[in-house]
Amino acid sequence: EDGIRDYKVTGVQTCALPIFYVVDDDPLLRRSLRLILEPEGFEVRAFATAAEFLEACSPQDAGCILLDLRLDDMSGMEVHERLRRCGVDLPIIMMSGFADVSIAVQAMRSGAIDFLQKPLQNVELLAAVRRGVQQDLQVRRAQAALAAVEARFAKLSVRERQVLDGVLAGKVNKVIAMELSLSSKTVEYHRARMMEKLGVDSVAELVQLVLKVRLAQAVDDRPEAAAALAERTHSELVQEMGQIGRAHV
């Protein structure tokens, strides 16, 4: 219940409660899951077919999904892939009454956070659901934090962005001033304003903030680029920050 209440204070949730999607062709299972989950504080939306669910699900929704592996119109794996293409990144709990180890492994490799064997056990079900909700909440908090940082960058003027680029390139104020045809005092002014708007006190903090934004954007746009940037961050960040910091001493 604490996780559910937390949704209301993240500033990124469009619904009062996290939504728990149930996608299964068994009407008795859908009904029983509603009876189990609604008293726990979840808004339950149940669907008999993958098509109905995909039509209703939105990237703005928060919560998690309980998805049967063998639906009449589509497999759970296919549903998962379509969700990815539509930008829906809710945690998925796969379930099946015909599962073996290989199927469970395949489901987990496809990105499911858990795999449940039918008939479902209440304790396992609720534990998996709470893990899914907590994971979704953590992602949304991170997205909200990133949006706040990006809003800071959006407040920079064109000149402040030019000074920022120079600082990140390791250039001292005199060099930046020469390249921008400005006085050193003017560059110092724009640099101070830029640092104030971004909420940082040092070049090291500035570099960390920029890398944080770039890494998050790479994760959204191209996972392979994010991996490369993350590797570069670990191997070169300390050295790079030291070089930039020494340049501005």
Side-chain angles (χ1 to χ4, degrees), residues 37-245:
L37 294 170
E38 285 183 342
E40 296 292 322
F42 295 98
E43 177 185 344
V44 179
R45 298 183 187 177
F47 301 88
T49 68
E52 292 173 345
F53 164 64
L54 291 170
E55 181 70 23
C57 192
S58 166
Q60 284 72 46
D61 292 338
C64 64
I65 302 166
L66 182 62
L67 177 63
D68 188 33
L69 271 174
R70 298 187 178 186
L71 297 165
D72 289 339
D73 57 339
M74 198 179 302
S75 73
M77 303 296 186
E78 291 178 281
V79 175
H80 196 175
E81 181 57 33
R82 292 202 182 191
L83 289 172
R84 284 178 175 174
R85 292 202 297 266
C86 294
V88 176
D89 196 28
L90 291 176
I92 293 180
I93 302 165
M94 293 281 193
M95 60 178 175
S96 179
F98 307 94
D100 57 25
V101 174
S102 63
I103 294 177
V105 170
Q106 185 181 2
M108 299 298 283
R109 285 179 175 173
S110 73
I113 66 164
D114 213 333
F115 183 89
L116 301 179
Q117 177 80 44
K118 294 179 182 178
L120 302 178
Q121 303 299 314
N122 286 8
V123 174
E124 289 183 346
L125 170 66
L126 291 174
V129 169
R130 291 190 178 106
R131 282 194 298 273
V133 168
Q134 284 297 328
Q135 178 175 311
D136 182 60
L137 181 58
Q138 290 170 1
V139 169
R140 290 174 186 278
R141 281 175 170 164
Q143 290 171 340
L146 175 62
V149 172
E150 290 178 331
R152 289 188 235 165
F153 280 96
K155 293 179 181 179
L156 298 181
S157 67
V158 173
R159 188 66 80 189
E160 288 163 355
R161 286 182 176 274
Q162 292 173 332
V163 173
L164 170 63
D165 291 340
V167 172
L168 293 175
K171 298 173 182 177
V172 296
N173 287 347
K174 288 183 179 179
V175 174
I176 298 173
M178 187 181 306
E179 291 180 348
L180 297 179
S181 300
L182 300 172
S183 69
S184 293
K185 286 188 176 181
T186 300
V187 170
E188 289 174 6
Y189 169 78
H190 287 303
R191 175 174 168 171
R193 288 282 295 165
M194 176 265 293
M195 300 280 278
E196 180 183 358
K197 289 181 179 180
L198 296 181
V200 296
D201 297 318
S202 68
V203 175
E205 290 182 15
L206 177 63
V207 171
Q208 287 179 321
L209 190 67
V210 171
L211 284 173
K212 176 182 177 181
V213 172
R214 288 179 180 174
L215 180 58
Q217 291 172 339
V219 169
D220 289 339
D221 297 336
R222 291 170 53 212
E224 66 278 10
L229 182 56
E231 182 65 26
R232 177 178 178 275
T233 298
H234 285 298
S235 62
E236 301 176 6
L237 176 57
V238 174
Q239 180 180 355
E240 181 175 314
M241 286 171 58
Q243 291 173 344
I244 294 175

